[in-house]
């Protein structure tokens, strides 16, 4: 992917994410003014945390904020990446852009409470579920590829494999999102439609974190860089924040996950930029 095409893609991602965020905010405001949280039924939680402690208690508001944060996060950091890397050909940014696309798509799940799509097999529910599933798969694949590419020091090898990796990961993610069955009746407290493969998806993300830790150790040792200078460290922290926001039906996961995600993303992008400036 050429620098010009990548910059256009980043600009498009940023504009679309901002429009989606504003649209969802307006829709959520209308939802709260008209119905409020009382219309949201009691839903099954993925993590059975204590209901007696406020920060761990199930909160539909926390779930909605967690989903609304995703297009906002992409809009903010998409603009940051566009400005900071406009003239820098860094293959890592192509994978970051793919991750942004997937993460923004996950925010569409906020339409489930807004449109009150409970216990229904309407086509719109299935479409929203598949969009969110595609977002999870694309962002997970992008993080995995980003982790691997960080450990690759050969720039020619990075560039030659980027386009192929992007097309393969997107194709696999979209194919799986289409064929995996979705249970529109079983909606979790994070407004996620159960697929029957949720455990597998969680194991995949846990595997990505494990690979990141291995890459972190190898990268730091091989390049004789300090731990705090390694991009792989920030990818690992980003993944932890990412996983916590996936369980963001309570204020603890929402708050800590958001902090880890935003701080680690900024640190990751700065470390990548510093690396190419030194080179």
């Amino acid at each position: 992917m050429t620098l010009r095409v990548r910059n256009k893609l980043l600009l498009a991602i940023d504009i679309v994410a901002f429009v989606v965020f504003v649209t969802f905010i307006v829709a959520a405001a209308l939802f709260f003014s008209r119905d409020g949280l009382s219309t949201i039924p009691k839903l099954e939680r993925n993590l059975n945390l204590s209901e007696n402690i406020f920060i761990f208690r199930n909160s539909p508001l926390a779930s909605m904020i967690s989903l609304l944060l995703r297009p906002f996060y992409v809009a903010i950091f998409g603009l940051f990446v566009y400005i900071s890397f406009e003239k820098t050909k860094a293959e890592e940014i192509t994978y970051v852009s793919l991750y942004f696309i997937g993460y923004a798509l996950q925010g569409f799940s906020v339409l489930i409470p807004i449109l009150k799509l409970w216990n229904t097999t309407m086509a719109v529910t299935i479409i929203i579920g598949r969009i969110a599933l595609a977002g999870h798969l694309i962002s997970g694949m992008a993080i995995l590829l980003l982790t691997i590419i960080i450990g690759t020091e050969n720039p020619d090898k990075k560039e030659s494999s980027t386009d192929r990796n992007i097309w393969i990961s997107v194709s696999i993610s979209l194919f799986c999102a289409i064929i995996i069955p979705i249970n529109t009746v079983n909606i979790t407290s994070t407004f996620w439609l159960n697929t029957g493969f949720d455990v597998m998806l969680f194991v995949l993300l846990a595997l990505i974190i494990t690979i990141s830790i291995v890459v972190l150790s190898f990268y730091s040792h091989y390049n004789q860089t300090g731990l705090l200078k390694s991009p792989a460290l920030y990818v690992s922290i980003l993944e932890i924040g990412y996983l916590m926001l996936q369980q963001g039906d309570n204020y603890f996961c929402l708050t800590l996950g958001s902090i880890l995600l935003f701080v680690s993303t900024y640190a990751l992008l700065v470390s990548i930029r510093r690396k190419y400036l030194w080179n």
Side-chain angles (χ1 to χ4, degrees):
M1 183 180 294
T2 64
L3 187 61
R4 184 177 179 182
V5 172
R6 193 206 68 190
N7 287 340
K8 288 183 177 180
L9 175 62
L10 272 170
L11 186 59
I13 292 171
D14 188 52
I15 293 173
V16 172
F18 179 76
V19 171
V20 169
F21 171 69
V22 172
T23 303
F24 285 173
I25 283 292
V26 172
L30 293 174
F31 167 78
F32 284 117
S33 64
R34 184 182 68 248
D35 301 309
L37 298 175
S38 59
T39 60
I40 299 178
K42 186 174 179 60
L43 302 170
E44 179 185 357
R45 302 188 70 181
N46 293 326
L47 293 178
N48 293 320
L49 301 176
S50 175
E51 293 288 340
N52 298 322
I53 303 176
F54 172 74
I55 59 173
F56 296 132
R57 190 179 304 158
N58 178 30
S59 169
L61 179 59
S63 297
M64 293 187 71
I65 293 174
S66 172
L67 292 170
L68 289 171
L69 272 176
R70 299 177 196 197
F72 173 74
Y73 162 87
V74 172
I76 293 297
F77 283 106
L79 181 61
F80 177 80
V81 169
Y82 179 78
I83 295 173
S84 301
F85 293 88
E86 183 179 5
K87 298 180 180 180
T88 304
K89 186 167 179 57
E91 296 302 324
E92 290 89 342
I93 298 304
T94 304
Y95 296 101
V96 170
S97 302
L98 183 64
Y99 160 69
F100 283 163
I101 293 173
Y103 205 57
L105 290 176
Q106 296 178 31
F108 277 81
S109 291
V110 79
L111 294 175
I112 291 176
I114 290 175
L115 300 178
K116 293 181 283 191
L117 300 174
W118 316 114
N119 300 319
T120 176
T121 56
M122 292 175 58
V124 65
T125 309
I126 298 174
I127 292 173
I128 291 172
R130 296 203 180 282
I131 289 175
L133 177 58
H136 279 275
L137 294 172
I138 289 173
S139 57
M141 293 282 283
I143 293 175
L144 176 59
L145 292 171
L146 176 62
T147 303
I148 295 173
I149 205 69
I150 283 175
T152 304
E153 288 301 313
N154 188 333
D156 295 331
K157 187 175 181 180
K158 283 184 181 182
E159 185 173 355
S160 62
S161 62
T162 296
D163 289 349
R164 182 183 69 251
N165 292 342
I166 293 296
W167 283 114
I168 291 175
S169 58
V170 170
S171 300
I172 292 175
S173 299
L174 294 179
F175 177 74
C176 292
I178 292 172
I179 66 170
I180 290 178
I182 290 178
N183 187 349
T184 59
V185 177
N186 190 354
I187 301 175
T188 68
S189 57
T190 55
F191 309 128
W192 166 259
L193 277 67
N194 275 323
T195 64
F197 294 88
D198 295 337
V199 175
M200 186 184 299
L201 291 174
F202 182 83
V203 170
L204 175 63
L205 290 174
L207 179 63
I208 292 173
I209 291 180
T210 303
I211 293 174
S212 299
I213 294 173
V214 173
V215 172
L216 163 64
S217 303
F218 175 80
Y219 182 91
S220 300
H221 174 74
Y222 181 79
N223 295 283
Q224 297 181 347
T225 59
L227 191 64
L228 295 178
K229 294 181 180 179
S230 172
L233 170 64
Y234 305 122
V235 175
S236 302
I237 298 173
L238 182 151
E239 289 159 0
I240 295 173
Y242 178 95
L243 281 176
M244 292 193 72
L245 278 181
Q246 300 305 315
Q247 311 301 326
D249 65 350
N250 59 86
Y251 290 109
F252 174 77
C253 288
L254 172 63
T255 304
L256 184 57
S258 299
I259 293 172
L260 292 177
L261 187 70
F262 276 75
V263 172
S264 62
T265 302
Y266 175 76
L268 170 65
L269 295 174
V270 169
S271 67
I272 293 175
R273 177 170 170 76
R274 185 185 300 118
K275 171 187 173 183
Y276 280 90
L277 285 177
W278 284 349
N279 291 336

